[in-house]
Amino acid sequence: MTKASIQPKSAVAFGTMVSLWFRRSLPLLFMVANFGSSKAALSESPNPLSLEDALQLARQRNGNLRAAVFNFKASQSRVRQAAGAFLPTLTPSFRYETGSTNLQTGPFKGRTNDQATTTDLSAGWRLLDSGERHFTLAGARSEARAQELLALQTLRNVLFNVHQQFYDALRAQELLKVEEAQLKRTETILDATKVRVENGSAARKDILQATADALNAKSSVLGGRNRVATSQATLKATIGWDNPQQSPELQKTAEPKLVPLAETLDQALASGVQNRADLQAERNRLEEQRSNVRLAEIAAGVSFFLDASAGKRFSPDVLDRNGLVLFATIPLFDGNRAREAVRSSKYVYESDKAIL
């Protein structure tokens, strides 16, 4: 999918299309990126680099995009970790000890060898708490959604940058050709002026103007070459080009077609505020911080939990043990740390609201 092939009727349709593509392409993104043969085939191909190839390389190799996807996958793991707190635990354990004792005095002196084996199976389940698990899970889910949206926005930005940088590089190459032709023209005029001066058909001062024109043209060529190198370097950085000493030959493309706007300015503003992935990510971060405020308030007040446990020992003796524990705490005095933690969380929440 390339930017040129997307002609949505509205920002909502565009956001839906890209979001569906992104979710379906996450496994493919890592699978393709890890195939060295695929990467080499794109980067070492003798054919000119097309816009579609540049977009594919960016999807595979762009560091910002890969980092955003890894952040999203890490946030998904944190969601599963938070959800695991609602499930019971089952822990088998085995312990083997061996040692010796050498008693050198007394009626029982002598060396004895000691061996002990312990085999246990314990289970536990937190039946109730004061809300820590709930708000931890809610915050993790909000963070995961925010990271997903940030990865989507990163993808959009990367694809946009590839389009822009690809056309900038092509433009710089075409401008360089014009500047080189202008340099050749001024050098020809300078040679002709020198011949005319020698023949006496032109004043000697005309050489100065022709020389100045030739030097200006040479300066323009140097600037054009610098623009070509800079634009290619920017594009190579975005697509993750392997060889820093070599620049890809870019394939010329047809001029992009201008699509008439289907929305008014007010409609575009409303749609953008509602559907932009980065703004949606900020809203989810706001929800995450709201959960952090509630966790801080719980820690500053009465907190409790109710745990059920069961265990069985198989050696050296066989026994069963069961238990139910209710534990409650309240920080009567902690140097105002819990109260200030609540206040700090609320300030961060207000800061996030202001940023949004």
Side-chain angles (χ1 to χ4, degrees), residues 31-92:
M31 181 181 69
V32 175
N34 290 329
F35 283 128
S37 59
S38 299
K39 294 168 64 177
L42 280 176
S43 61
E44 299 175 2
S45 174
N47 299 324
L49 182 71
S50 66
L51 178 59
E52 289 73 19
D53 290 340
L55 291 170
Q56 181 65 17
L57 283 172
R59 293 189 187 100
Q60 295 175 5
R61 306 183 186 180
N62 183 270
N64 291 333
L65 180 56
R66 289 175 61 84
V69 174
F70 281 122
N71 287 335
F72 168 55
K73 295 177 78 68
S75 66
Q76 286 184 312
S77 295
R78 286 190 287 271
V79 171
R80 291 189 289 268
Q81 179 183 2
F86 289 89
L87 302 177
T89 61
L90 184 64
T91 308

Coordinates of all heavy atoms in Angstrom, one line a residue, residues 31-92:
M31 N 8.4 -10.4 10.4 CA 8.9 -11.6 9.6 C 9.7 -11.2 8.4 O 10.8 -11.7 8.2 CB 7.6 -12.4 9.2 CG 8.0 -13.6 8.4 SD 6.5 -14.5 7.8 CE 5.9 -13.3 6.6
V32 N 9.2 -10.2 7.7 CA 10.0 -9.7 6.5 C 11.3 -9.0 7.0 O 12.3 -9.2 6.3 CB 9.1 -8.8 5.7 CG1 9.9 -8.2 4.5 CG2 7.9 -9.5 5.1
A33 N 11.2 -8.3 8.0 CA 12.4 -7.5 8.5 C 13.5 -8.4 8.9 O 14.7 -8.1 8.8 CB 12.1 -6.6 9.6
N34 N 13.2 -9.7 9.3 CA 14.2 -10.6 9.8 C 14.8 -11.5 8.7 O 15.7 -12.3 9.0 CB 13.6 -11.5 10.9 CG 13.4 -10.7 12.2 OD1 14.1 -9.7 12.5 ND2 12.4 -11.1 12.9
F35 N 14.3 -11.4 7.5 CA 14.8 -12.2 6.4 C 16.0 -11.4 5.7 O 15.7 -10.4 5.0 CB 13.7 -12.5 5.4 CG 12.8 -13.6 5.8 CD1 11.5 -13.4 5.8 CD2 13.3 -14.8 6.3 CE1 10.6 -14.4 6.2 CE2 12.5 -15.8 6.7 CZ 11.1 -15.6 6.7
G36 N 17.2 -11.8 6.0 CA 18.3 -11.1 5.4 C 18.3 -11.2 3.9 O 18.7 -10.2 3.2
S37 N 17.8 -12.3 3.3 CA 17.8 -12.4 1.9 C 16.9 -11.4 1.2 O 17.2 -10.8 0.2 CB 17.4 -13.8 1.4 OG 16.1 -14.1 2.0
S38 N 15.8 -11.1 1.9 CA 14.8 -10.1 1.3 C 15.4 -8.7 1.4 O 15.3 -7.9 0.5 CB 13.5 -10.2 2.1 OG 12.9 -11.4 2.0
K39 N 16.1 -8.4 2.5 CA 16.7 -7.1 2.6 C 17.8 -6.9 1.6 O 17.9 -5.8 1.0 CB 17.3 -7.0 4.0 CG 16.3 -6.9 5.1 CD 16.9 -7.1 6.5 CE 17.7 -5.9 6.9 NZ 18.3 -6.0 8.2
A40 N 18.6 -7.9 1.4 CA 19.7 -7.8 0.4 C 19.1 -7.7 -1.0 O 19.7 -6.9 -1.8 CB 20.6 -9.0 0.5
A41 N 18.0 -8.4 -1.3 CA 17.5 -8.3 -2.6 C 17.0 -6.9 -2.9 O 17.1 -6.4 -4.1 CB 16.3 -9.3 -2.7
L42 N 16.5 -6.2 -2.0 CA 16.0 -4.8 -2.2 C 17.2 -3.9 -2.3 O 17.2 -3.0 -3.2 CB 15.1 -4.4 -1.1 CG 13.6 -4.9 -1.2 CD1 12.8 -4.5 0.0 CD2 12.9 -4.4 -2.5
S43 N 18.2 -4.0 -1.4 CA 19.2 -3.0 -1.3 C 20.3 -3.2 -2.4 O 20.9 -2.2 -2.8 CB 19.9 -3.0 0.1 OG 20.4 -4.3 0.3
E44 N 20.5 -4.4 -2.8 CA 21.6 -4.7 -3.8 C 21.1 -4.9 -5.2 O 21.8 -5.3 -6.1 CB 22.4 -5.9 -3.3 CG 23.0 -5.7 -1.9 CD 23.7 -7.0 -1.5 OE1 23.7 -7.9 -2.2 OE2 24.2 -7.0 -0.4
S45 N 19.8 -4.7 -5.4 CA 19.3 -4.8 -6.8 C 19.9 -3.8 -7.7 O 20.0 -2.6 -7.4 CB 17.7 -4.7 -6.7 OG 17.2 -4.8 -8.0
P46 N 20.2 -4.3 -8.9 CA 20.8 -3.3 -9.9 C 19.8 -2.4 -10.5 O 20.1 -1.4 -11.1 CB 21.4 -4.2 -11.0 CG 20.6 -5.5 -10.9 CD 20.2 -5.6 -9.4
N47 N 18.5 -2.7 -10.3 CA 17.4 -1.8 -10.8 C 17.3 -0.6 -10.0 O 17.6 -0.5 -8.8 CB 16.1 -2.6 -10.9 CG 16.2 -3.8 -11.7 OD1 16.8 -3.8 -12.7 ND2 15.5 -4.9 -11.3
P48 N 16.8 0.5 -10.6 CA 16.6 1.8 -9.9 C 15.6 1.5 -8.7 O 14.7 0.7 -8.8 CB 16.1 2.7 -10.9 CG 16.6 2.2 -12.2 CD 16.6 0.7 -12.1
L49 N 15.8 2.3 -7.7 CA 14.9 2.2 -6.5 C 13.6 2.9 -6.8 O 13.6 4.1 -7.0 CB 15.6 2.8 -5.3 CG 14.8 2.7 -4.0 CD1 14.8 1.2 -3.5 CD2 15.5 3.5 -2.9
S50 N 12.5 2.2 -6.8 CA 11.2 2.8 -7.0 C 10.6 3.3 -5.7 O 11.1 3.0 -4.6 CB 10.3 1.8 -7.7 OG 10.0 0.8 -6.7
L51 N 9.6 4.1 -5.8 CA 8.9 4.7 -4.7 C 8.3 3.5 -3.8 O 8.4 3.5 -2.6 CB 7.8 5.6 -5.1 CG 7.0 6.2 -3.9 CD1 7.9 7.0 -2.9 CD2 5.9 7.2 -4.5
E52 N 7.8 2.5 -4.5 CA 7.2 1.4 -3.8 C 8.3 0.6 -3.0 O 8.1 0.2 -1.9 CB 6.5 0.4 -4.8 CG 5.2 1.0 -5.3 CD 5.4 2.1 -6.3 OE1 6.6 2.2 -6.9 OE2 4.5 2.8 -6.6
D53 N 9.5 0.4 -3.6 CA 10.6 -0.2 -2.9 C 11.0 0.6 -1.7 O 11.3 0.0 -0.6 CB 11.8 -0.5 -3.9 CG 11.5 -1.5 -4.9 OD1 10.5 -2.3 -4.7 OD2 12.1 -1.5 -6.0
A54 N 11.1 1.9 -1.9 CA 11.5 2.8 -0.8 C 10.5 2.6 0.4 O 10.9 2.6 1.6 CB 11.6 4.2 -1.2
L55 N 9.2 2.6 0.1 CA 8.2 2.5 1.1 C 8.3 1.1 1.8 O 8.2 1.0 3.0 CB 6.8 2.6 0.5 CG 6.4 4.0 0.0 CD1 5.1 4.0 -0.8 CD2 6.3 5.0 1.1
Q56 N 8.6 0.1 1.1 CA 8.7 -1.3 1.7 C 10.0 -1.3 2.6 O 9.9 -1.9 3.7 CB 8.8 -2.3 0.6 CG 9.0 -3.8 1.1 CD 7.7 -4.2 1.8 OE1 6.7 -3.6 1.7 NE2 7.9 -5.3 2.6
L57 N 11.1 -0.7 2.1 CA 12.3 -0.7 3.0 C 12.0 0.1 4.3 O 12.5 -0.3 5.3 CB 13.4 0.0 2.2 CG 14.1 -0.9 1.2 CD1 15.1 0.0 0.4 CD2 14.9 -2.0 1.8
A58 N 11.3 1.2 4.2 CA 11.0 2.0 5.4 C 10.1 1.1 6.3 O 10.3 1.2 7.6 CB 10.2 3.2 5.0
R59 N 9.2 0.4 5.8 CA 8.3 -0.4 6.7 C 9.2 -1.5 7.4 O 8.9 -1.8 8.6 CB 7.2 -1.1 5.9 CG 6.2 -0.2 5.3 CD 5.0 -1.0 4.7 NE 4.1 -0.1 4.1 CZ 4.0 0.0 2.7 NH1 4.9 -0.7 2.0 NH2 3.1 0.8 2.2
Q60 N 10.2 -2.0 6.7 CA 11.0 -3.1 7.3 C 12.1 -2.5 8.3 O 12.4 -3.1 9.3 CB 11.7 -3.9 6.2 CG 10.7 -4.6 5.3 CD 11.5 -5.3 4.2 OE1 12.7 -5.3 4.1 NE2 10.7 -5.9 3.3
R61 N 12.7 -1.4 7.9 CA 14.0 -1.0 8.6 C 13.9 0.3 9.4 O 14.9 0.5 10.1 CB 15.1 -0.9 7.5 CG 15.2 -2.2 6.7 CD 16.4 -2.0 5.7 NE 16.5 -3.0 4.8 CZ 17.5 -3.1 3.9 NH1 18.3 -2.1 3.8 NH2 17.5 -4.1 3.0
N62 N 12.9 1.1 9.2 CA 13.0 2.4 9.8 C 13.0 2.2 11.4 O 12.2 1.5 12.0 CB 11.7 3.2 9.5 CG 11.8 4.6 10.1 OD1 11.3 4.8 11.2 ND2 12.4 5.6 9.4
G63 N 14.1 2.8 12.0 CA 14.3 2.6 13.4 C 13.2 3.1 14.3 O 12.8 2.5 15.3
N64 N 12.6 4.3 13.9 CA 11.5 4.8 14.7 C 10.3 3.9 14.7 O 9.6 3.7 15.7 CB 11.2 6.2 14.2 CG 12.3 7.2 14.5 OD1 13.1 7.1 15.5 ND2 12.4 8.3 13.7
L65 N 10.0 3.4 13.5 CA 8.8 2.5 13.4 C 9.1 1.2 14.1 O 8.2 0.7 14.8 CB 8.6 2.3 11.9 CG 7.4 1.4 11.6 CD1 6.1 1.9 12.2 CD2 7.2 1.2 10.1
R66 N 10.2 0.6 14.0 CA 10.5 -0.6 14.7 C 10.4 -0.4 16.2 O 9.9 -1.2 17.0 CB 11.9 -1.2 14.3 CG 11.9 -1.7 12.9 CD 13.3 -2.1 12.5 NE 13.8 -3.2 13.3 CZ 13.6 -4.5 13.2 NH1 12.8 -4.9 12.2 NH2 14.1 -5.4 14.0
A67 N 11.0 0.7 16.7 CA 10.9 1.0 18.1 C 9.5 1.2 18.6 O 9.1 0.7 19.7 CB 11.7 2.3 18.4
A68 N 8.7 1.9 17.8 CA 7.3 2.1 18.2 C 6.5 0.7 18.2 O 5.7 0.5 19.1 CB 6.6 3.0 17.1
V69 N 6.8 -0.2 17.3 CA 6.2 -1.5 17.3 C 6.6 -2.3 18.5 O 5.8 -3.0 19.2 CB 6.5 -2.2 16.0 CG1 5.9 -3.7 16.1 CG2 5.8 -1.5 14.8
F70 N 7.9 -2.3 18.9 CA 8.4 -3.0 20.0 C 7.8 -2.4 21.3 O 7.5 -3.1 22.3 CB 9.9 -2.9 20.1 CG 10.6 -3.9 19.2 CD1 11.5 -3.5 18.2 CD2 10.4 -5.3 19.3 CE1 12.1 -4.4 17.4 CE2 11.0 -6.2 18.5 CZ 11.8 -5.8 17.5
N71 N 7.6 -1.1 21.4 CA 7.0 -0.4 22.5 C 5.6 -0.9 22.7 O 5.1 -1.2 23.8 CB 7.0 1.1 22.4 CG 8.4 1.6 22.7 OD1 9.2 1.0 23.3 ND2 8.7 2.8 22.1
F72 N 4.9 -1.0 21.5 CA 3.5 -1.5 21.6 C 3.5 -3.0 22.1 O 2.6 -3.3 22.9 CB 2.9 -1.4 20.2 CG 1.6 -2.2 20.0 CD1 0.5 -1.9 20.9 CD2 1.4 -3.1 19.0 CE1 -0.7 -2.6 20.7 CE2 0.2 -3.8 18.9 CZ -0.8 -3.5 19.7
K73 N 4.4 -3.8 21.6 CA 4.4 -5.2 22.0 C 4.7 -5.3 23.5 O 4.2 -6.2 24.2 CB 5.4 -6.0 21.2 CG 5.0 -6.1 19.7 CD 6.0 -6.8 18.9 CE 5.9 -8.3 19.1 NZ 4.7 -8.9 18.5
A74 N 5.6 -4.4 24.0 CA 6.0 -4.4 25.4 C 4.7 -4.0 26.3 O 4.5 -4.6 27.3 CB 7.1 -3.5 25.7
S75 N 4.0 -3.1 25.8 CA 2.8 -2.7 26.5 C 1.7 -3.8 26.5 O 1.0 -3.9 27.5 CB 2.2 -1.4 25.9 OG 1.7 -1.6 24.6
Q76 N 1.7 -4.6 25.5 CA 0.7 -5.7 25.5 C 1.2 -6.7 26.5 O 0.3 -7.3 27.2 CB 0.7 -6.4 24.1 CG 0.0 -5.6 23.0 CD -0.1 -6.4 21.7 OE1 0.9 -6.8 21.2 NE2 -1.2 -6.4 21.1
S77 N 2.5 -6.9 26.7 CA 3.0 -7.8 27.7 C 2.6 -7.3 29.1 O 2.3 -8.1 30.0 CB 4.5 -8.0 27.6 OG 4.8 -8.6 26.4
R78 N 2.7 -6.0 29.3 CA 2.3 -5.4 30.6 C 0.8 -5.6 30.9 O 0.4 -5.8 32.0 CB 2.7 -3.9 30.7 CG 4.2 -3.7 30.8 CD 4.5 -2.3 31.1 NE 4.4 -1.4 29.9 CZ 5.3 -1.2 29.1 NH1 6.5 -1.8 29.2 NH2 5.1 -0.4 28.0
V79 N 0.0 -5.6 29.8 CA -1.5 -5.9 30.0 C -1.7 -7.3 30.5 O -2.4 -7.6 31.5 CB -2.2 -5.6 28.7 CG1 -3.7 -6.1 28.9 CG2 -2.2 -4.1 28.4
R80 N -1.0 -8.2 29.8 CA -1.1 -9.6 30.2 C -0.6 -9.8 31.6 O -1.1 -10.7 32.4 CB -0.4 -10.5 29.2 CG -1.1 -10.6 27.9 CD -0.5 -11.6 27.0 NE 0.9 -11.3 26.5 CZ 1.1 -10.6 25.4 NH1 0.1 -10.2 24.6 NH2 2.3 -10.3 25.1
Q81 N 0.5 -9.1 32.0 CA 1.0 -9.2 33.3 C 0.1 -8.7 34.4 O -0.1 -9.3 35.4 CB 2.3 -8.4 33.4 CG 3.0 -8.4 34.8 CD 4.3 -7.6 34.8 OE1 4.6 -6.9 33.8 NE2 4.9 -7.6 35.9
A82 N -0.6 -7.6 34.1 CA -1.6 -7.0 35.0 C -2.8 -7.9 35.1 O -3.4 -8.1 36.2 CB -2.0 -5.6 34.6
A83 N -3.2 -8.5 34.0 CA -4.4 -9.4 34.0 C -4.1 -10.7 34.8 O -4.9 -11.3 35.4 CB -4.8 -9.8 32.6
G84 N -2.8 -11.1 34.8 CA -2.4 -12.3 35.5 C -2.6 -12.2 37.0 O -2.7 -13.2 37.7
A85 N -2.7 -11.0 37.6 CA -2.9 -10.8 39.0 C -4.2 -11.3 39.5 O -4.4 -11.5 40.7 CB -2.7 -9.3 39.4
F86 N -5.2 -11.4 38.6 CA -6.5 -11.9 38.9 C -6.6 -13.4 38.9 O -7.7 -13.9 39.3 CB -7.6 -11.3 37.9 CG -7.8 -9.8 38.1 CD1 -7.0 -8.9 37.4 CD2 -8.8 -9.4 38.9 CE1 -7.2 -7.6 37.5 CE2 -9.0 -8.0 39.0 CZ -8.2 -7.1 38.3
L87 N -5.6 -14.1 38.5 CA -5.6 -15.5 38.4 C -4.9 -16.2 39.6 O -4.1 -15.6 40.2 CB -5.0 -16.0 37.1 CG -5.6 -15.4 35.8 CD1 -4.7 -15.9 34.6 CD2 -7.0 -15.8 35.6
P88 N -5.3 -17.4 39.9 CA -4.6 -18.1 41.0 C -3.2 -18.5 40.6 O -2.9 -18.6 39.4 CB -5.5 -19.4 41.2 CG -6.2 -19.6 39.9 CD -6.4 -18.2 39.3
T89 N -2.4 -18.9 41.5 CA -1.0 -19.3 41.3 C -0.9 -20.7 41.8 O -1.5 -21.1 42.8 CB 0.0 -18.4 42.0 OG1 -0.3 -18.4 43.4 CG2 -0.2 -17.0 41.5
L90 N 0.0 -21.5 41.1 CA 0.3 -22.9 41.5 C 1.8 -23.0 41.4 O 2.4 -22.8 40.3 CB -0.4 -23.8 40.6 CG -0.3 -25.3 40.9 CD1 -0.9 -25.6 42.3 CD2 -0.9 -26.2 39.9
T91 N 2.4 -23.3 42.5 CA 3.9 -23.4 42.6 C 4.4 -24.7 43.2 O 4.2 -24.9 44.4 CB 4.4 -22.2 43.4 OG1 3.9 -21.0 42.9 CG2 5.9 -22.1 43.4
P92 N 4.9 -25.6 42.4 CA 5.6 -26.7 43.0 C 7.0 -26.4 43.4 O 7.6 -25.5 42.7 CB 5.5 -27.8 41.9 CG 5.5 -27.0 40.7 CD 4.8 -25.7 41.0

